[in-house]
Amino acid sequence: MESRAIQSRIHFFEYYSLEKFEESLRNALLYSLDIILQQDRLIQFHQYSQEIASIIEFVINIPFAYKTNSSFGESFFGFSLDHQKYKILNLCIRQLYPYIKQKLFNLQNNSQGRKKQILQIVYKVICGLEIALKLYYLLNEKSVKYSFLYILLRGNLIRQENNNDKYNSIILGLFLFMKFLDYYFQKKKVNQGQVNLIEPIKQNKLQLSVCPYCKKLPINSVVLKTNGKIYCNVCIQKIINERHQVGNQVITDQHYIKIYE
């Protein structure tokens, strides 16, 4: 049975919930791939984990794009675009937009000198405009564009009736399974890191390399559990405060261990 559109404005917090849901699904998929690609036979593909995740997400979204010109997340929330044009183009835009934003974020964190400054400005301008657009949507009931993504898609979201797609339940089940894997392996890493990581590093303090952040010998050294590298305590705090990513993961206080006395 075909879905029928309901003409009512999508609330700001519905858009926000949709955005966070898709972001959470994307992160769970990326983390699962990160675990799988650490196997010996697949390690050569680990550096392309973000690209592989985008391809998988693209494939997942294909049936929703053809049916209602929407993504899985939009369909799950009962939304679709208000037109049925440019389905393939819109599907590509849905994948490329978050991918390019994430790549830009990673590049501006990993670059040095003037290139880093330029990338930081570009990224902050994009984020600033996104925030302004969302704030305008929240405060002005006549605004119809929640983000640049829907400007690029040349459409707005509308509600759908009779949105009982079994495929939604399958993908949701897969999403919950990946979130379980995320939780399981994170906990396993913490437990193993305490036992297997600290002692070998303490025994080899004289062989420590430079801090990846400041490029100097580490002061009050800490070890990052995600990659085993040594950082200055001050540098790791900067990374946490600025929400920098290391290996496609935002670092928190739970991701490092102090190894200085």
Side-chain angles (χ1 to χ4, degrees):
M1 185 175 181
E2 290 294 328
S3 296
R4 185 167 63 87
I6 306 174
Q7 297 297 329
S8 63
R9 184 176 184 266
I10 309 298
H11 195 275
F12 171 85
F13 292 104
E14 291 179 294
Y15 264 121
Y16 184 78
S17 298
L18 166 63
E19 185 178 51
K20 291 303 175 184
F21 176 75
E22 291 190 329
E23 183 180 310
S24 182
L25 174 62
R26 195 172 293 119
N27 290 337
L29 176 60
L30 188 59
Y31 186 81
S32 300
L33 277 173
D34 184 64
I35 297 299
I36 294 171
L37 296 178
Q38 287 183 26
Q39 307 301 315
D40 291 340
R41 295 181 179 180
L42 302 173
I43 193 66
Q44 66 269 28
F45 302 109
H46 187 269
Q47 60 181 321
Y48 304 112
S49 57
Q50 190 172 345
E51 287 74 17
I52 296 172
S54 293
I55 293 172
I56 294 174
E57 188 180 351
F58 180 88
V59 173
I60 290 174
N61 282 329
I62 286 176
F64 301 101
Y66 273 98
K67 185 177 180 181
T68 57
N69 203 5
S70 64
S71 66
F72 159 66
E74 291 166 353
S75 178
F76 182 78
F77 274 73
F79 306 148
S80 69
L81 281 183
D82 56 3
H83 65 80
Q84 296 297 312
K85 302 176 182 178
Y86 320 115
K87 291 182 177 180
I88 298 298
L89 177 61
N90 287 342
L91 178 60
C92 294
I93 291 173
R94 278 190 171 95
Q95 293 306 126
L96 288 174
Y97 184 71
Y99 172 78
I100 291 173
K101 279 187 68 178
Q102 185 61 50
K103 275 295 183 182
L104 185 60
F105 178 80
N106 293 340
L107 282 173
Q108 60 104 15
N109 282 334
N110 298 327
S111 300
Q112 298 292 331
R114 185 168 180 79
K115 180 180 178 181
K116 181 181 181 71
Q117 293 177 350
I118 294 173
L119 289 173
Q120 283 180 333
I121 291 173
V122 173
Y123 183 77
K124 288 178 179 179
V125 167
I126 293 174
C127 291
L129 291 174
E130 277 276 4
I131 293 172
L133 195 60
K134 291 174 183 178
L135 186 61
Y136 183 71
Y137 185 88
L138 174 63
L139 300 177
N140 187 351
E141 293 186 356
K142 294 182 179 180
S143 176
V144 294
K145 300 298 183 184
Y146 172 78
S147 72
F148 282 123
L149 174 61
Y150 296 102
I151 293 177
L152 295 173
L153 294 175
R154 290 170 288 182
N156 306 308
L157 289 185
I158 54 175
R159 305 179 192 279
Q160 294 289 332
E161 276 187 343
N162 303 322
N163 187 44
N164 298 318
D165 197 331
K166 293 181 179 180
Y167 193 58
N168 281 357
S169 301
I170 295 173
I171 300 299
L172 180 61
L174 181 61
F175 164 70
L176 294 175
F177 176 70
M178 288 189 295
K179 292 299 289 183
F180 169 76
L181 288 180
D182 187 353
Y183 169 79
Y184 174 78
F185 284 112
Q186 284 281 15
K187 191 171 183 179
K188 188 175 180 180
K189 273 188 175 182
V190 170
N191 294 336
Q192 289 181 344
Q194 298 289 345
V195 177
N196 300 328
L197 197 55
I198 299 178
E199 289 305 319
I201 293 173
K202 283 186 174 181
Q203 295 172 7
N204 294 281
K205 283 186 176 180
L206 295 178
Q207 300 179 11
L208 295 180
S209 59
V210 297
C211 170
Y213 188 86
C214 67
K215 308 302 181 184
K216 298 178 182 179
L217 288 176
I219 300 175
N220 293 337
S221 305
V222 298
V223 59
L224 194 60
K225 296 176 185 178
T226 58
N227 60 12
K229 294 184 178 180
I230 310 299
Y231 291 76
C232 303
N233 186 43
V234 173
C235 292
I236 206 71
Q237 296 305 321
K238 288 180 180 179
I239 291 174
I240 293 172
N241 293 336
E242 296 173 6
R243 295 188 61 79
H244 285 183
Q245 286 191 339
V246 177
N248 293 326
Q249 187 170 5
V250 176
I251 303 303
T252 68
D253 291 330
Q254 304 299 320
H255 289 103
Y256 71 89
I257 306 171
K258 294 180 180 180
I259 58 174
Y260 61 88
E261 301 299 334

